[in-house]
Amino acid sequence: MKYLLTKMRKLYRKARISQKLFLAFSLVIAIPAILVSFLFIRTQETQLYKDAMATGSSHVARLNEQLRSRMEMFENASSTALTQKAFVDFIHSNMRGDGLRLVKFKQNQFEQMHNIIESHEIISELSFYVDNPNLFEIWPEIYHYDKFWPQDYWETLRDEGGAAYRLFAFKDGEHTLAYYRLVRLQGQQNKFPTVMEIRAEHSVFFNDLLEESGGDFFSVIMDRTNPANHVYNPQHVFSQNAGEGLNDILGSIYQQLDMLQQNSPIKVHVGDQTYYALYRYIAPLNAYVVDIASHQELMKGPRSWYASVVVIAFCVLLLIMLIVSHTTRRIFRRLDSVLSSMRQVRKGQLDAKIDIGLDEHEAGDEIDEVAVSYNKMLDEIKRLMTQVVDKQLIAKNAQLHSLHSQINSHFLYNALESIRMLAEVQRQPAIADALVSLGSQLRYSMQWRSDTVALSEELANIESYIKFINFMEGGSIVLTADLPQEVLRYAIPKMCMQPIVENAVHHAAPLGGSVHIQMTVRVENDSLLLIEIRDDGAGVDPEMLASLQSVLSGDSDTPIVTSKNGLGLENVHKRLQLHYGKGCGLSIDSVQGAYTCVTLRLPWENVNLGGW
């Protein structure tokens, strides 16, 4: 993977600018547009799926209601037929005893029963199966029970409450639906009860329910007891397209049918096709009404959009390539003059400026801006070269002045040493110690071999300063600095602690008064060295403290100098931040009448200390 990335970077580096611009435009415009288009199409597919499922669910519910309504017509017809008590009594009597009585039955009760059948268009036949040895089978509505099969089916009817539907009738059941009902239980002389059968052709009962409506769904009635029994419209487009694979589709759907989960769509995969099915269970018919749709057919519209998006994207990329090619040719002609001037400057000709062709206050494009900046850069180079020469002269003068200052400082040190020896001869040890402290301070402040010193050197200078102040002002200032030896060796910026101690001496205690100054160090997060300088003096006025904290946190632009020698807290804070970064610097905390604590934050790693 790393090798591949390296190879790609090299190829990109070697590519022409026009190719890079084309790639950039493609990534910024064309590819996002394609992605957004595909996302939009995907969203449309999702919405189309939701709409189709809602439409299919509504259609299934409507089919369910219509089928129940037609079954109710069957039940009403059977109830009406059973109200013809004279007809029922006659077919259970001796029909062979009196021919005149048989003729009257044909003219009255039989005609009434026939009219009941004719009044229901969906009923194709109504038959009674009677276990009567004196029965005449001269009409298709009356049969001896021997003609009924299976003969023990009356037990099933009895167990189911006396009536039951069969999606496929026992007689001519391939295309017929039947409704069976017990009419009269058998007597002692009869072996079987009477069964009434009402039949309807599938093509009549389901004629307008399974017809092709122009929608996306294919409606099927599935027998729950036998997965091979289905009722559907073989002329439907779905059936025609599925061909011999229709049985596999219906079989896969049948395996997932569940009476308890009938509100959830079924998704099946048959071959390389995906199908959705919505269904309802019809309890009286013991069957499912199912609506089936092909995923490919539902998404036919959005899927055709993908090809359009690809074609449009190709055209856009081609247009971008032409525009980029034309633009880069115009840009490169102007860049040639810039490159020519750069080659002359590389040979040492600093006066090889670029001819821009613009007035003084006339603005151009980015290339013109580069040319103007380039010309200004040449002028700045000339100025800096002159300045470097001047600085070298100044440095020489500074070295001479430094030698002169060292001579003067030596004279001052020798004078102080003579006075100290005279004080010791005259037995004035206090004056001698004060002169030693003063000499140490002068030597420390005037000798700048480097911008950094060991913490022990800075501490020694502060101790000399405290001794001298106690002698001069007669005070009782106590300095406590119990620091680990490894910390004393660390390099810190010179004179970064001195101004803080001076502030404590001048502001923490009244003239001639006493104050205790304590120095401690600690390490924070293994990255910062914190030096805390704390006094138990008068503290800082709250308003002044707020101003100090604002300046040290960078929230105020007002400079605040808090010591007489000019090296105030802000000065030290800015020096530390300038060379060590924003994470370093000073912070102050104080309670008036209790204490003042100033904390220096420096890099902990000694390699990062100093060097400024």
Side-chain angles (χ1 to χ4, degrees), residues 44-83:
Q44 292 297 109
E45 287 181 349
T46 302
Q47 186 60 43
L48 184 61
Y49 169 78
K50 292 180 179 179
D51 294 343
M53 292 301 104
T55 302
S57 180
S58 175
H59 183 249
V60 167
R62 188 168 62 254
L63 284 178
N64 182 31
E65 293 175 0
Q66 292 174 342
L67 287 176
R68 290 180 181 275
S69 175
R70 296 193 178 186
M71 288 188 292
E72 187 177 350
M73 292 172 58
F74 265 49
E75 294 167 7
N76 292 338
S78 68
S79 298
T80 303
L82 292 181
T83 59

mmCIF file of all heavy atoms in Angstrom, residues 44-83:
data_model
loop_
_atom_site.group_PDB
_atom_site.id
_atom_site.type_symbol
_atom_site.label_atom_id
_atom_site.label_comp_id
_atom_site.label_asym_id
_atom_site.label_seq_id
_atom_site.Cartn_x
_atom_site.Cartn_y
_atom_site.Cartn_z
ATOM 1 N N GLN A 44 -34.580 8.142 -4.583
ATOM 2 C CA GLN A 44 -35.800 7.942 -5.359
ATOM 3 C C GLN A 44 -36.212 6.469 -5.366
ATOM 4 O O GLN A 44 -37.402 6.150 -5.293
ATOM 5 C CB GLN A 44 -35.601 8.442 -6.791
ATOM 6 C CG GLN A 44 -35.450 9.956 -6.902
ATOM 7 C CD GLN A 44 -36.715 10.667 -6.436
ATOM 8 O OE1 GLN A 44 -36.731 11.292 -5.378
ATOM 9 N NE2 GLN A 44 -37.778 10.571 -7.192
ATOM 10 N N GLU A 45 -35.214 5.579 -5.458
ATOM 11 C CA GLU A 45 -35.526 4.151 -5.420
ATOM 12 C C GLU A 45 -36.168 3.773 -4.081
ATOM 13 O O GLU A 45 -37.145 3.019 -4.044
ATOM 14 C CB GLU A 45 -34.246 3.336 -5.622
ATOM 15 C CG GLU A 45 -33.707 3.369 -7.051
ATOM 16 C CD GLU A 45 -32.465 2.527 -7.195
ATOM 17 O OE1 GLU A 45 -31.914 2.097 -6.160
ATOM 18 O OE2 GLU A 45 -32.031 2.288 -8.336
ATOM 19 N N THR A 46 -35.596 4.312 -3.006
ATOM 20 C CA THR A 46 -36.156 4.016 -1.678
ATOM 21 C C THR A 46 -37.583 4.527 -1.566
ATOM 22 O O THR A 46 -38.477 3.824 -1.064
ATOM 23 C CB THR A 46 -35.277 4.660 -0.591
ATOM 24 O OG1 THR A 46 -33.934 4.169 -0.718
ATOM 25 C CG2 THR A 46 -35.805 4.327 0.802
ATOM 26 N N GLN A 47 -37.803 5.750 -2.051
ATOM 27 C CA GLN A 47 -39.154 6.317 -1.980
ATOM 28 C C GLN A 47 -40.112 5.547 -2.881
ATOM 29 O O GLN A 47 -41.276 5.313 -2.515
ATOM 30 C CB GLN A 47 -39.110 7.801 -2.391
ATOM 31 C CG GLN A 47 -40.424 8.530 -2.222
ATOM 32 C CD GLN A 47 -40.893 8.526 -0.783
ATOM 33 O OE1 GLN A 47 -40.106 8.730 0.126
ATOM 34 N NE2 GLN A 47 -42.182 8.305 -0.566
ATOM 35 N N LEU A 48 -39.611 5.146 -4.059
ATOM 36 C CA LEU A 48 -40.444 4.377 -4.967
ATOM 37 C C LEU A 48 -40.825 3.035 -4.342
ATOM 38 O O LEU A 48 -41.967 2.566 -4.473
ATOM 39 C CB LEU A 48 -39.698 4.152 -6.285
ATOM 40 C CG LEU A 48 -40.471 3.428 -7.395
ATOM 41 C CD1 LEU A 48 -41.710 4.213 -7.782
ATOM 42 C CD2 LEU A 48 -39.586 3.213 -8.612
ATOM 43 N N TYR A 49 -39.867 2.411 -3.655
ATOM 44 C CA TYR A 49 -40.145 1.143 -2.963
ATOM 45 C C TYR A 49 -41.223 1.341 -1.903
ATOM 46 O O TYR A 49 -42.161 0.538 -1.801
ATOM 47 C CB TYR A 49 -38.861 0.619 -2.341
ATOM 48 C CG TYR A 49 -39.081 -0.534 -1.381
ATOM 49 C CD1 TYR A 49 -39.317 -1.827 -1.842
ATOM 50 C CD2 TYR A 49 -39.061 -0.314 -0.006
ATOM 51 C CE1 TYR A 49 -39.532 -2.871 -0.959
ATOM 52 C CE2 TYR A 49 -39.278 -1.351 0.877
ATOM 53 C CZ TYR A 49 -39.509 -2.628 0.398
ATOM 54 O OH TYR A 49 -39.715 -3.657 1.277
ATOM 55 N N LYS A 50 -41.086 2.420 -1.109
ATOM 56 C CA LYS A 50 -42.078 2.676 -0.059
ATOM 57 C C LYS A 50 -43.464 2.907 -0.657
ATOM 58 O O LYS A 50 -44.466 2.373 -0.161
ATOM 59 C CB LYS A 50 -41.657 3.879 0.773
ATOM 60 C CG LYS A 50 -40.418 3.640 1.623
ATOM 61 C CD LYS A 50 -40.071 4.886 2.423
ATOM 62 C CE LYS A 50 -38.842 4.643 3.293
ATOM 63 N NZ LYS A 50 -38.481 5.865 4.059
ATOM 64 N N ASP A 51 -43.522 3.701 -1.738
ATOM 65 C CA ASP A 51 -44.810 3.965 -2.377
ATOM 66 C C ASP A 51 -45.409 2.678 -2.949
ATOM 67 O O ASP A 51 -46.623 2.447 -2.840
ATOM 68 C CB ASP A 51 -44.633 5.001 -3.498
ATOM 69 C CG ASP A 51 -44.229 6.370 -2.947
ATOM 70 O OD1 ASP A 51 -44.403 6.596 -1.731
ATOM 71 O OD2 ASP A 51 -43.728 7.193 -3.729
ATOM 72 N N ALA A 52 -44.556 1.857 -3.573
ATOM 73 C CA ALA A 52 -45.060 0.609 -4.160
ATOM 74 C C ALA A 52 -45.581 -0.328 -3.078
ATOM 75 O O ALA A 52 -46.629 -0.968 -3.242
ATOM 76 C CB ALA A 52 -43.943 -0.074 -4.963
ATOM 77 N N MET A 53 -44.850 -0.411 -1.946
ATOM 78 C CA MET A 53 -45.307 -1.273 -0.864
ATOM 79 C C MET A 53 -46.633 -0.769 -0.281
ATOM 80 O O MET A 53 -47.523 -1.566 0.063
ATOM 81 C CB MET A 53 -44.251 -1.346 0.239
ATOM 82 C CG MET A 53 -42.968 -2.063 -0.145
ATOM 83 S SD MET A 53 -43.203 -3.787 -0.670
ATOM 84 C CE MET A 53 -43.001 -3.607 -2.458
ATOM 85 N N ALA A 54 -46.763 0.562 -0.183
ATOM 86 C CA ALA A 54 -48.019 1.112 0.328
ATOM 87 C C ALA A 54 -49.172 0.817 -0.629
ATOM 88 O O ALA A 54 -50.272 0.426 -0.219
ATOM 89 C CB ALA A 54 -47.877 2.616 0.545
ATOM 90 N N THR A 55 -48.906 0.969 -1.943
ATOM 91 C CA THR A 55 -49.940 0.681 -2.939
ATOM 92 C C THR A 55 -50.303 -0.801 -2.928
ATOM 93 O O THR A 55 -51.490 -1.175 -2.974
ATOM 94 C CB THR A 55 -49.446 1.085 -4.338
ATOM 95 O OG1 THR A 55 -49.120 2.476 -4.329
ATOM 96 C CG2 THR A 55 -50.503 0.827 -5.386
ATOM 97 N N GLY A 56 -49.259 -1.668 -2.861
ATOM 98 C CA GLY A 56 -49.525 -3.106 -2.835
ATOM 99 C C GLY A 56 -50.287 -3.528 -1.596
ATOM 100 O O GLY A 56 -51.197 -4.365 -1.665
ATOM 101 N N SER A 57 -49.933 -2.948 -0.448
ATOM 102 C CA SER A 57 -50.644 -3.283 0.792
ATOM 103 C C SER A 57 -52.106 -2.878 0.711
ATOM 104 O O SER A 57 -53.001 -3.622 1.134
ATOM 105 C CB SER A 57 -49.954 -2.603 1.973
ATOM 106 O OG SER A 57 -50.612 -2.902 3.176
ATOM 107 N N SER A 58 -52.355 -1.709 0.131
ATOM 108 C CA SER A 58 -53.744 -1.257 -0.033
ATOM 109 C C SER A 58 -54.511 -2.175 -0.986
ATOM 110 O O SER A 58 -55.687 -2.508 -0.744
ATOM 111 C CB SER A 58 -53.739 0.179 -0.560
ATOM 112 O OG SER A 58 -55.043 0.615 -0.827
ATOM 113 N N HIS A 59 -53.827 -2.620 -2.053
ATOM 114 C CA HIS A 59 -54.485 -3.495 -3.022
ATOM 115 C C HIS A 59 -54.809 -4.854 -2.408
ATOM 116 O O HIS A 59 -55.893 -5.416 -2.627
ATOM 117 C CB HIS A 59 -53.574 -3.662 -4.251
ATOM 118 C CG HIS A 59 -54.189 -4.491 -5.332
ATOM 119 N ND1 HIS A 59 -53.724 -5.740 -5.668
ATOM 120 C CD2 HIS A 59 -55.255 -4.250 -6.150
ATOM 121 C CE1 HIS A 59 -54.464 -6.242 -6.640
ATOM 122 N NE2 HIS A 59 -55.393 -5.353 -6.963
ATOM 123 N N VAL A 60 -53.876 -5.383 -1.608
ATOM 124 C CA VAL A 60 -54.119 -6.666 -0.953
ATOM 125 C C VAL A 60 -55.291 -6.563 0.019
ATOM 126 O O VAL A 60 -56.143 -7.458 0.095
ATOM 127 C CB VAL A 60 -52.835 -7.129 -0.217
ATOM 128 C CG1 VAL A 60 -53.142 -8.287 0.720
ATOM 129 C CG2 VAL A 60 -51.786 -7.560 -1.228
ATOM 130 N N ALA A 61 -55.324 -5.463 0.773
ATOM 131 C CA ALA A 61 -56.423 -5.278 1.715
ATOM 132 C C ALA A 61 -57.762 -5.202 0.972
ATOM 133 O O ALA A 61 -58.783 -5.743 1.424
ATOM 134 C CB ALA A 61 -56.192 -4.019 2.543
ATOM 135 N N ARG A 62 -57.750 -4.538 -0.186
ATOM 136 C CA ARG A 62 -58.988 -4.414 -0.968
ATOM 137 C C ARG A 62 -59.419 -5.776 -1.518
ATOM 138 O O ARG A 62 -60.617 -6.123 -1.500
ATOM 139 C CB ARG A 62 -58.782 -3.412 -2.101
ATOM 140 C CG ARG A 62 -60.061 -3.073 -2.855
ATOM 141 C CD ARG A 62 -59.884 -1.874 -3.761
ATOM 142 N NE ARG A 62 -58.890 -2.120 -4.792
ATOM 143 C CZ ARG A 62 -57.677 -1.587 -4.788
ATOM 144 N NH1 ARG A 62 -57.306 -0.799 -3.785
ATOM 145 N NH2 ARG A 62 -56.813 -1.836 -5.758
ATOM 146 N N LEU A 63 -58.443 -6.566 -2.009
ATOM 147 C CA LEU A 63 -58.761 -7.913 -2.486
ATOM 148 C C LEU A 63 -59.342 -8.771 -1.362
ATOM 149 O O LEU A 63 -60.300 -9.534 -1.568
ATOM 150 C CB LEU A 63 -57.510 -8.573 -3.045
ATOM 151 C CG LEU A 63 -57.018 -8.121 -4.422
ATOM 152 C CD1 LEU A 63 -55.742 -8.859 -4.786
ATOM 153 C CD2 LEU A 63 -58.087 -8.351 -5.487
ATOM 154 N N ASN A 64 -58.764 -8.643 -0.176
ATOM 155 C CA ASN A 64 -59.244 -9.396 0.974
ATOM 156 C C ASN A 64 -60.706 -9.071 1.267
ATOM 157 O O ASN A 64 -61.537 -9.961 1.485
ATOM 158 C CB ASN A 64 -58.350 -9.083 2.175
ATOM 159 C CG ASN A 64 -58.741 -9.863 3.405
ATOM 160 O OD1 ASN A 64 -59.231 -10.983 3.315
ATOM 161 N ND2 ASN A 64 -58.533 -9.263 4.567
ATOM 162 N N GLU A 65 -61.027 -7.781 1.255
ATOM 163 C CA GLU A 65 -62.404 -7.373 1.531
ATOM 164 C C GLU A 65 -63.363 -7.874 0.450
ATOM 165 O O GLU A 65 -64.482 -8.325 0.747
ATOM 166 C CB GLU A 65 -62.465 -5.849 1.636
ATOM 167 C CG GLU A 65 -61.720 -5.292 2.856
ATOM 168 C CD GLU A 65 -61.704 -3.778 2.857
ATOM 169 O OE1 GLU A 65 -62.276 -3.180 1.909
ATOM 170 O OE2 GLU A 65 -61.128 -3.192 3.794
ATOM 171 N N GLN A 66 -62.938 -7.785 -0.809
ATOM 172 C CA GLN A 66 -63.810 -8.221 -1.892
ATOM 173 C C GLN A 66 -64.050 -9.736 -1.847
ATOM 174 O O GLN A 66 -65.169 -10.207 -2.082
ATOM 175 C CB GLN A 66 -63.205 -7.820 -3.237
ATOM 176 C CG GLN A 66 -63.195 -6.305 -3.462
ATOM 177 C CD GLN A 66 -62.468 -5.932 -4.742
ATOM 178 O OE1 GLN A 66 -61.705 -6.715 -5.291
ATOM 179 N NE2 GLN A 66 -62.717 -4.715 -5.215
ATOM 180 N N LEU A 67 -62.985 -10.485 -1.531
ATOM 181 C CA LEU A 67 -63.156 -11.939 -1.444
ATOM 182 C C LEU A 67 -64.078 -12.313 -0.287
ATOM 183 O O LEU A 67 -64.928 -13.206 -0.415
ATOM 184 C CB LEU A 67 -61.797 -12.613 -1.269
ATOM 185 C CG LEU A 67 -60.893 -12.639 -2.509
ATOM 186 C CD1 LEU A 67 -59.546 -13.241 -2.171
ATOM 187 C CD2 LEU A 67 -61.546 -13.426 -3.637
ATOM 188 N N ARG A 68 -63.929 -11.651 0.826
ATOM 189 C CA ARG A 68 -64.818 -11.929 1.954
ATOM 190 C C ARG A 68 -66.258 -11.561 1.621
ATOM 191 O O ARG A 68 -67.203 -12.239 2.039
ATOM 192 C CB ARG A 68 -64.347 -11.166 3.189
ATOM 193 C CG ARG A 68 -63.039 -11.707 3.760
ATOM 194 C CD ARG A 68 -62.596 -10.942 4.989
ATOM 195 N NE ARG A 68 -61.336 -11.449 5.503
ATOM 196 C CZ ARG A 68 -61.214 -12.475 6.338
ATOM 197 N NH1 ARG A 68 -62.308 -13.127 6.732
ATOM 198 N NH2 ARG A 68 -60.035 -12.879 6.771
ATOM 199 N N SER A 69 -66.433 -10.498 0.843
ATOM 200 C CA SER A 69 -67.781 -10.112 0.437
ATOM 201 C C SER A 69 -68.404 -11.190 -0.448
ATOM 202 O O SER A 69 -69.595 -11.526 -0.299
ATOM 203 C CB SER A 69 -67.733 -8.770 -0.291
ATOM 204 O OG SER A 69 -68.997 -8.425 -0.795
ATOM 205 N N ARG A 70 -67.632 -11.772 -1.349
ATOM 206 C CA ARG A 70 -68.171 -12.808 -2.231
ATOM 207 C C ARG A 70 -68.436 -14.112 -1.472
ATOM 208 O O ARG A 70 -69.396 -14.820 -1.773
ATOM 209 C CB ARG A 70 -67.212 -13.038 -3.389
ATOM 210 C CG ARG A 70 -67.077 -11.793 -4.258
ATOM 211 C CD ARG A 70 -66.402 -12.030 -5.554
ATOM 212 N NE ARG A 70 -66.378 -10.793 -6.327
ATOM 213 C CZ ARG A 70 -65.950 -10.711 -7.570
ATOM 214 N NH1 ARG A 70 -65.513 -11.792 -8.190
ATOM 215 N NH2 ARG A 70 -65.960 -9.547 -8.208
ATOM 216 N N MET A 71 -67.579 -14.405 -0.497
ATOM 217 C CA MET A 71 -67.852 -15.589 0.320
ATOM 218 C C MET A 71 -69.128 -15.391 1.145
ATOM 219 O O MET A 71 -69.873 -16.351 1.387
ATOM 220 C CB MET A 71 -66.651 -15.878 1.223
ATOM 221 C CG MET A 71 -65.444 -16.430 0.463
ATOM 222 S SD MET A 71 -64.118 -16.984 1.555
ATOM 223 C CE MET A 71 -63.586 -15.421 2.229
ATOM 224 N N GLU A 72 -69.365 -14.164 1.544
ATOM 225 C CA GLU A 72 -70.597 -13.870 2.274
ATOM 226 C C GLU A 72 -71.815 -14.106 1.377
ATOM 227 O O GLU A 72 -72.868 -14.570 1.836
ATOM 228 C CB GLU A 72 -70.561 -12.433 2.785
ATOM 229 C CG GLU A 72 -71.731 -12.090 3.693
ATOM 230 C CD GLU A 72 -71.628 -10.686 4.238
ATOM 231 O OE1 GLU A 72 -70.561 -10.045 4.063
ATOM 232 O OE2 GLU A 72 -72.598 -10.212 4.850
ATOM 233 N N MET A 73 -71.671 -13.840 0.065
ATOM 234 C CA MET A 73 -72.753 -14.120 -0.880
ATOM 235 C C MET A 73 -73.028 -15.629 -0.931
ATOM 236 O O MET A 73 -74.192 -16.050 -0.991
ATOM 237 C CB MET A 73 -72.383 -13.604 -2.272
ATOM 238 C CG MET A 73 -72.306 -12.077 -2.363
ATOM 239 S SD MET A 73 -71.644 -11.520 -3.955
ATOM 240 C CE MET A 73 -72.816 -12.267 -5.063
ATOM 241 N N PHE A 74 -71.963 -16.427 -0.896
ATOM 242 C CA PHE A 74 -72.136 -17.882 -0.865
ATOM 243 C C PHE A 74 -72.932 -18.298 0.365
ATOM 244 O O PHE A 74 -73.854 -19.109 0.304
ATOM 245 C CB PHE A 74 -70.757 -18.552 -0.840
ATOM 246 C CG PHE A 74 -70.257 -18.964 -2.195
ATOM 247 C CD1 PHE A 74 -70.271 -18.087 -3.259
ATOM 248 C CD2 PHE A 74 -69.784 -20.242 -2.421
ATOM 249 C CE1 PHE A 74 -69.826 -18.450 -4.491
ATOM 250 C CE2 PHE A 74 -69.329 -20.632 -3.668
ATOM 251 C CZ PHE A 74 -69.354 -19.732 -4.714
ATOM 252 N N GLU A 75 -72.541 -17.769 1.503
ATOM 253 C CA GLU A 75 -73.191 -18.152 2.746
ATOM 254 C C GLU A 75 -74.654 -17.720 2.759
ATOM 255 O O GLU A 75 -75.533 -18.452 3.245
ATOM 256 C CB GLU A 75 -72.426 -17.545 3.923
ATOM 257 C CG GLU A 75 -71.013 -18.120 4.066
ATOM 258 C CD GLU A 75 -70.155 -17.319 5.014
ATOM 259 O OE1 GLU A 75 -70.694 -16.385 5.665
ATOM 260 O OE2 GLU A 75 -68.948 -17.610 5.126
ATOM 261 N N ASN A 76 -74.910 -16.525 2.211
ATOM 262 C CA ASN A 76 -76.306 -16.070 2.115
ATOM 263 C C ASN A 76 -77.119 -16.972 1.198
ATOM 264 O O ASN A 76 -78.291 -17.296 1.484
ATOM 265 C CB ASN A 76 -76.352 -14.623 1.628
ATOM 266 C CG ASN A 76 -75.784 -13.654 2.646
ATOM 267 O OD1 ASN A 76 -75.738 -13.962 3.841
ATOM 268 N ND2 ASN A 76 -75.355 -12.484 2.180
ATOM 269 N N ALA A 77 -76.511 -17.388 0.082
ATOM 270 C CA ALA A 77 -77.220 -18.261 -0.854
ATOM 271 C C ALA A 77 -77.536 -19.611 -0.213
ATOM 272 O O ALA A 77 -78.633 -20.169 -0.386
ATOM 273 C CB ALA A 77 -76.387 -18.454 -2.120
ATOM 274 N N SER A 78 -76.563 -20.137 0.559
ATOM 275 C CA SER A 78 -76.813 -21.420 1.210
ATOM 276 C C SER A 78 -77.907 -21.295 2.268
ATOM 277 O O SER A 78 -78.759 -22.195 2.416
ATOM 278 C CB SER A 78 -75.525 -21.945 1.841
ATOM 279 O OG SER A 78 -75.132 -21.120 2.929
ATOM 280 N N SER A 79 -77.907 -20.193 3.006
ATOM 281 C CA SER A 79 -78.943 -19.997 4.027
ATOM 282 C C SER A 79 -80.319 -19.867 3.380
ATOM 283 O O SER A 79 -81.320 -20.411 3.880
ATOM 284 C CB SER A 79 -78.625 -18.748 4.852
ATOM 285 O OG SER A 79 -77.396 -18.900 5.541
ATOM 286 N N THR A 80 -80.363 -19.156 2.239
ATOM 287 C CA THR A 80 -81.645 -19.012 1.528
ATOM 288 C C THR A 80 -82.139 -20.365 1.024
ATOM 289 O O THR A 80 -83.337 -20.680 1.089
ATOM 290 C CB THR A 80 -81.485 -18.036 0.353
ATOM 291 O OG1 THR A 80 -81.002 -16.791 0.848
ATOM 292 C CG2 THR A 80 -82.797 -17.825 -0.371
ATOM 293 N N ALA A 81 -81.186 -21.180 0.516
ATOM 294 C CA ALA A 81 -81.585 -22.507 0.009
ATOM 295 C C ALA A 81 -82.135 -23.383 1.128
ATOM 296 O O ALA A 81 -83.106 -24.130 0.931
ATOM 297 C CB ALA A 81 -80.387 -23.164 -0.657
ATOM 298 N N LEU A 82 -81.559 -23.275 2.305
ATOM 299 C CA LEU A 82 -82.012 -24.117 3.415
ATOM 300 C C LEU A 82 -83.349 -23.657 3.996
ATOM 301 O O LEU A 82 -83.983 -24.393 4.757
ATOM 302 C CB LEU A 82 -80.945 -24.145 4.519
ATOM 303 C CG LEU A 82 -79.643 -24.872 4.154
ATOM 304 C CD1 LEU A 82 -78.672 -24.857 5.315
ATOM 305 C CD2 LEU A 82 -79.930 -26.301 3.721
ATOM 306 N N THR A 83 -83.735 -22.425 3.649
ATOM 307 C CA THR A 83 -85.073 -21.989 4.101
ATOM 308 C C THR A 83 -86.187 -22.704 3.325
ATOM 309 O O THR A 83 -87.354 -22.670 3.740
ATOM 310 C CB THR A 83 -85.218 -20.461 3.933
ATOM 311 O OG1 THR A 83 -85.031 -20.113 2.564
ATOM 312 C CG2 THR A 83 -84.202 -19.718 4.787
#
